[in-house]
Amino acid sequence: MRLKGYHAETIMKKPFIVGNWKMNLTLKQGVEFARLLKNGLKGKREVLCGICPSFVFLSEICKILEGCNICVAAQNVHSETNGAYTGEVSALMIKEVGCTHVLIGHSERRHIFHETDSFINAKIKTALSVTLKPIFCIGETLEEREAGRTKDVIQSQLKGGLRDIHADQLEELVIAYEPVWAIGTGKTALPGQANEVHSFIRNIVADEYGKDFAANLYIQYGGSVKPENAKELMAQPEIDGLLVGGASITFESFLKIIEAVSKD
Ligand code: 13P
């Protein structure tokens, strides 16, 4: 376990490694993966770990992982609690099947499905209302980075997503910084580049919610994380965890990432 964060001298954080399977795997493969993960992580206490399967696998996978230390997260949630929203899934439904976390504001939701900051804000509020922990994703596009707008974009996504939410409601919030240009492209942000944005995020959170809150906040990095670069990314003082896409859909490479960050 390493010292991390804003007050690096006082905060101890275990790396929090989450695999986002996106729209991949069959139920059979997902179940097999969950069983292997449960066995593979037995006795490994130095890392926190989670997976985000498809909605239709959640119930089955939560049953397999019940009682062990692996979080299961949904990949999305609707902002309304119930009603005539054909095809949508509510926070309570996700909670009821056994999930502890939910991804909110993933760049694929923002860019392919045109989700806005205010919709994302409503989703975060709804998730919190049933004690489902949001993994709130933010990140700039290549165009925005090249135009020198990274910090503006990050700040406005953060403020928009967390509008009118108080620190005491946000205890279990996780933020994932995922630069859009690094997602699924093989181009990872340089560890220093990612660290700089993480530090910027932590400072905004400190201004808004206080330094202690910011120091305890988990900020994950996501975007072409692989077994080969995981350790170097996690060695950055402001990176508390990883949100892994492509390299999380085979058990072998996901386990290699977990092993890479557990060895110091
Ligand atoms: P890749 O690891 O495939 O780049 O995806 C990252 C991501 O979107 C995780 O949520």
Side-chain angles (χ1 to χ4, degrees), residues 53-97:
S54 147
F55 277 131
V56 293
F57 305 168
L58 287 176
S59 174
E60 198 72 30
I61 287 182
C62 284
K63 276 186 218 144
I64 295 168
L65 297 179
E66 199 180 347
C68 71
N69 212 5
I70 301 167
C71 316
V72 184
Q75 297 175 16
N76 187 25
V77 62
H78 197 261
S79 58
E80 296 296 329
T81 49
N82 65 295
Y85 300 96
T86 302
E88 293 296 330
V89 178
S90 79
L92 208 51
M93 292 168 185
I94 293 169
K95 179 90 187 176
E96 205 181 0
V97 294

Side-chain angles (χ1 to χ4, degrees), residues 82-198:
N82 65 295
Y85 300 96
T86 302
E88 293 296 330
V89 178
S90 79
L92 208 51
M93 292 168 185
I94 293 169
K95 179 90 187 176
E96 205 181 0
V97 294
C99 291
T100 50
H101 291 72
V102 59
L103 297 185
I104 297 182
H106 191 279
S107 78
E108 286 144 22
R109 302 294 321 168
R110 291 176 187 267
H111 295 286
I112 306 173
F113 301 100
H114 311 293
E115 291 192 2
T116 61
D117 288 331
S118 68
F119 190 34
I120 289 164
N121 175 244
K123 290 179 180 217
I124 294 178
K125 288 176 178 159
T126 306
L128 292 170
S129 73
V130 299
T131 66
L132 196 57
K133 302 166 188 174
I135 301 179
F136 169 37
C137 306
I138 54 178
E140 81 287 2
T141 62
L142 183 60
E143 201 180 22
E144 289 161 345
R145 175 162 280 264
E146 286 177 348
R149 296 188 48 235
T150 299
K151 289 187 174 170
D152 290 346
V153 171
I154 293 297
Q155 179 153 18
S156 94
Q157 289 179 349
L158 256 182
K159 297 223 159 161
L162 299 181
R163 183 160 293 126
D164 300 328
I165 306 178
H166 300 287
D168 53 356
Q169 299 169 271
L170 274 181
E171 230 159 72
E172 304 285 1
L173 177 79
V174 175
I175 291 179
Y177 168 57
E178 299 204 301
V180 180
W181 48 271
I183 296 180
T185 58
K187 278 190 213 156
T188 321
L190 296 171
Q193 255 177 338
N195 194 63
E196 191 188 335
V197 180
H198 280 227

Side-chain angles (χ1 to χ4, degrees), residues 11-24:
I11 303 292
M12 301 283 280
K13 284 186 192 153
K14 295 181 183 186
F16 185 26
I17 313 299
V18 173
N20 174 11
W21 292 353
K22 307 191 180 183
M23 200 173 70
N24 290 298

